[in-house]
Amino acid sequence: MEFRDLKKQYETMEKAITGGIQAVLSDAHYIQGRQVKELEDALSEYVGVKHCITCANGTDALQLALMAWNISAGDAVFVPDFTFFSSGEVVAAVGAAPVFVDVDPDTYNMSVGSLRKMIEKTIAEGNYLPKAIIAVDLFGQPADYEEIRKIADEYHLRILEDGAQGFGGAIGDTRACAFGDISTTSFFPAKPLGCYGDGGAVFTDDAEWAKTIRSLAVHGKGESKYDNVRIGMNSRLDTIQAAVLLAKLSVFCEKELDASEKVAQFYTERLRGFVKTPMIRKGFFSSWAQYTIQVDNRDTRDGLQQFLKESQIPTAVYYQKPMHCQKAFHQFAFDDKDYPVTNRLSDIVLSLPFHPYMEQNEAQQVVDKIIEYVGK
């Protein structure tokens, strides 16, 4: 059993994917070939924003956004404590201070109560100037942007949506990657929409920010790549990856999102009452980057994970260590008591095998083993 079966996915789209790759090989335009622009146009139309700029990976996408806003030393950016390292890493990479925010115990996304608390605390301490909020769409469900926007407007902060796990999700009729002043996603292979290497994208309706990000992504170029008007980075999506994503995008939209929803419903209906299953808020749609359960304590989690491993069922723990505990952020002072939910979640969460090509008998096998273990 695969945790996320990319082999089976490829088998269903082999002709389109290999055809797309062969076209790139025939054209021999491996950097900034026509497929890159085609993909950007398709992505911006799907998300519903004016500008999409592809780049080398999801981490660069976040950093490019912060650079476009000139966020740097002396600034504070608010980041969920329960997320992947890159969401906070990019803040420190531009010289600013990440201020971690506790999360909601049901959705895993940023807690608006904790966000307000940490903004007020940062203002009171006076060491950093609050500038932006990075809201992460964790495990596929968009964050609570209605409430986050109210707080952002109140304190004059910009919102950067980290949709690395959320592409394909939605709130009502608005799709993920359209909620931030700038939004980003990742095309890492295991993400909801993944390529066959690294890749990322930035989305915005602001033409000046889009122009700046395009420049920053290619060494700060001006009119040409030999006219450098700012310090940037080398962060381009290569043409082969664009071709792969173009081949996969229609299948993702037309089949994979619905298939993932059905697998999630199967798990939830059969596991409810035995473990805590994911909670999707009313009016929200998850793209199901992960299906994550909660158990009572760390011993139970670790025991269940080992039991499933012995049954050849792969699982993963996202995330084992809170951001405020990471050694890389040791220069910033955090109070462990500000993060009770994240501290607990790190001990009790377990992500199950999950993908749109999962057979019902595979999902039933996972369910049976979990119930068998919990029953003991």
Side-chain angles (χ1 to χ4, degrees), residues 48-346:
V49 298
K50 295 178 181 178
H51 306 281
C52 171
I53 307 97
T54 54
C55 60
N57 54 71
T59 304
D60 281 2
L62 291 168
Q63 185 168 334
L64 286 164
L66 297 179
M67 293 170 70
W69 287 339
N70 295 312
I71 289 175
S72 58
D75 296 333
V77 179
F78 300 89
V79 182
D81 195 41
F82 191 69
T83 187
F84 183 62
F85 182 70
S86 64
S87 304
E89 177 186 25
V90 294
V91 179
V94 299
V99 178
F100 296 115
V101 176
D102 209 5
V103 298
D104 181 271
D106 297 319
T107 67
Y108 307 105
N109 284 328
M110 179 178 278
S111 160
V112 293
S114 178
L115 174 61
R116 181 180 294 278
K117 172 185 172 182
M118 298 311 291
I119 293 172
E120 292 287 356
K121 184 175 182 179
T122 301
I123 293 171
E125 290 174 348
N127 297 320
Y128 301 102
L129 181 64
K131 282 291 188 70
I133 300 164
I134 296 180
V136 179
D137 303 335
L138 205 70
F139 301 152
Q141 179 171 202
D144 187 357
Y145 287 102
E146 181 178 358
E147 294 303 317
I148 291 172
R149 177 63 69 182
K150 290 177 183 177
I151 294 175
D153 289 347
E154 180 179 346
Y155 292 97
H156 308 290
L157 306 177
R158 287 171 174 159
I159 298 176
L160 174 53
E161 177 188 3
D162 182 349
Q165 298 181 22
F167 189 84
I171 304 174
D173 294 328
T174 303
R175 289 195 170 107
C177 295
F179 296 110
D181 297 303
I182 296 177
S183 302
T184 68
T185 196
S186 167
F187 300 124
F188 182 79
K191 292 296 191 287
L193 176 63
C195 56
Y196 289 161
D198 271 317
V202 186
F203 301 88
T204 185
D205 282 325
D206 190 288
E208 284 303 310
W209 289 343
K211 182 179 179 181
T212 299
I213 291 166
R214 287 197 182 278
S215 169
L216 287 166
V218 188
H219 303 288
K221 75 180 184 70
E223 294 303 316
S224 74
K225 66 179 181 179
Y226 299 115
D227 172 36
N228 306 98
V229 298
R230 54 177 60 85
I231 301 299
M233 62 173 71
N234 180 23
S235 185
R236 298 168 297 195
L237 182 73
D238 73 73
T239 312
I240 286 178
Q241 300 306 334
V244 170
L245 289 164
L246 279 170
K248 295 175 72 174
L249 180 58
S250 60
V251 179
F252 172 76
C253 299
E254 296 167 9
K255 297 180 180 180
E256 290 188 343
L257 287 171
D258 287 342
S260 292
E261 180 66 23
K262 290 177 182 177
V263 176
Q265 290 177 359
F266 183 90
Y267 269 149
T268 298
E269 289 169 1
R270 287 156 180 79
L271 288 173
R272 188 182 288 121
F274 296 97
V275 296
K276 183 173 181 178
T277 55
M279 189 276 282
I280 306 301
R281 300 183 63 200
K282 185 177 180 180
F284 284 56
F285 179 81
S286 176
S287 57
W288 295 106
Q290 308 292 345
Y291 188 94
T292 301
I293 62 171
Q294 297 178 34
V295 294
D296 291 337
N297 53 60
R298 183 163 192 157
D299 287 344
T300 301
R301 191 271 305 283
D302 292 350
L304 174 59
Q305 185 173 35
Q306 181 60 34
F307 180 74
L308 293 174
K309 182 179 180 181
E310 291 168 358
S311 300
Q312 286 76 53
I313 297 175
T315 59
V317 176
Y318 303 110
Y319 295 93
Q320 300 178 25
K321 182 184 288 189
M323 295 283 273
H324 77 275
C325 295
Q326 296 287 356
K327 184 179 179 180
F329 299 123
H330 68 89
Q331 69 270 39
F332 306 105
F334 302 111
D335 187 342
D336 192 63
K337 292 190 289 293
D338 285 329
Y339 310 102
V341 176
T342 297
N343 286 334
R344 174 163 170 74
L345 288 177
S346 295

